[in-house]
């Protein structure tokens, strides 16, 4: 079992790159279709899981997002948002770590339901909303020098050298919501 040192102040944020500017050949084949698929990740995972698919809520509270997350949703640095962290599970196996940033204006009026999702799937709510617009997909690779790596890999028995992830800015009724999804080593090969 690998020993992971605590996050140091020198840890950095991942570098997110738009898919259109990405060298796709550098992404391992196992992860490439997961990262580039435009469909609902929840629906895809349910289709791949031969056991009980479920959402494991790790944490959801008002917190300061990372700088790049705050910029993506148009927040001032230091402002608090609802930060939701979950694992998408097939049986007892974590396949995806997901992190969602919900800025205060998005929680107003009809969108307050996002603050009370619990173990329900955010993807099911997003893709069912007719006002939903999805922005460009960005890809990043996490390494142990990234702040998020230690959260994403926290309970993994074997810590991979790299964890691949994607993020998209969604708009519901014009209000922003950032969804980041990191694909864990036990996720199966993608099937159409």
């Amino acid at each position: 079992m690998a020993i992971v040192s605590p996050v140091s102040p020198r840890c950095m944020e991942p570098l997110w790159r738009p898919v259109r500017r990405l060298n796709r050949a550098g992404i391992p084949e196992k992860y490439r279709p997961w990262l580039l698929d435009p469909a609902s990740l929840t629906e895809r995972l349910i289709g791949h899981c031969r056991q009980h698919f479920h959402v494991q809520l790790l944490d959801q509270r008002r917190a300061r997002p990372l700088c790049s997350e705050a910029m993506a949703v148009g927040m001032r640095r230091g402002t608090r948002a609802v930060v939701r962290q979950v694992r998408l599970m097939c049986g007892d196996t974590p396949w995806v770590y997901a992190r969602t940033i919900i800025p205060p204006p998005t929680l107003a009026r009809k969108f307050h339901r996002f603050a009370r999702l619990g173990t329900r799937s955010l993807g099911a709510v997003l893709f069912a909303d007719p006002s939903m617009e999805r922005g460009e997909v960005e890809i990043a690779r996490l390494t142990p020098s990234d702040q998020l790596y230690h959260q994403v890999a926290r309970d993994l028995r074997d810590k991979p050298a790299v964890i691949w992830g994607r993020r998209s800015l969604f708009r519901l009724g014009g209000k922003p919501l950032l969804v980041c999804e990191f694909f864990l080593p036990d996720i199966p090969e993608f099937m159409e």
Side-chain angles (χ1 to χ4, degrees), residues 35-170:
L35 291 163
L36 304 177
D37 184 36
S40 165
L41 179 60
T42 301
E43 290 301 314
R44 290 286 190 203
L45 292 173
I46 289 169
H48 280 71
C49 183
R50 301 291 176 240
Q51 299 172 41
H52 170 65
F53 172 83
H54 62 281
V55 176
Q56 179 186 46
L57 180 62
L58 302 172
D59 190 34
Q60 181 170 323
R61 61 185 147 131
R62 290 195 178 272
R64 288 186 182 94
L66 298 175
C67 292
S68 67
E69 294 169 338
M71 283 180 39
V73 296
M75 292 174 51
R76 287 192 336 260
R77 187 177 178 168
T79 304
R80 292 183 182 271
V82 171
V83 178
R84 172 180 162 89
Q85 299 174 81
V86 301
R87 277 197 204 97
L88 305 179
M89 309 281 292
C90 180
D92 294 332
T93 306
W95 280 1
V96 174
Y97 169 94
R99 179 178 167 92
T100 304
I101 309 303
I102 310 169
T106 304
L107 293 172
R109 287 177 280 147
K110 70 175 189 168
F111 301 116
H112 65 278
R113 67 185 182 267
F114 292 118
R116 296 188 302 255
L117 282 171
T119 58
R120 288 180 293 147
S121 165
L122 173 67
V125 175
L126 282 177
F127 281 85
D129 191 314
S131 75
M132 188 269 284
E133 298 173 21
R134 186 178 192 171
E136 184 172 30
V137 174
E138 296 178 309
I139 308 289
R141 54 190 290 271
L142 295 179
T143 65
S145 66
D146 293 306
Q147 282 178 299
L148 279 177
Y149 176 91
H150 303 283
Q151 287 177 315
V152 174
R154 181 179 63 203
D155 295 325
L156 297 179
R157 199 169 333 147
D158 299 315
K159 312 279 192 245
V162 172
I163 299 173
W164 288 90
R166 70 180 188 179
R167 75 178 187 181
S168 297
L169 182 67
F170 288 85

Side-chain angles (χ1 to χ4, degrees), residues 20-34:
R20 63 183 156 70
R21 293 187 21 221
L22 191 68
N23 176 6
R24 295 178 189 196
I27 301 171
E29 182 59 40
K30 176 181 179 177
Y31 299 105
R32 194 176 312 145
W34 287 111

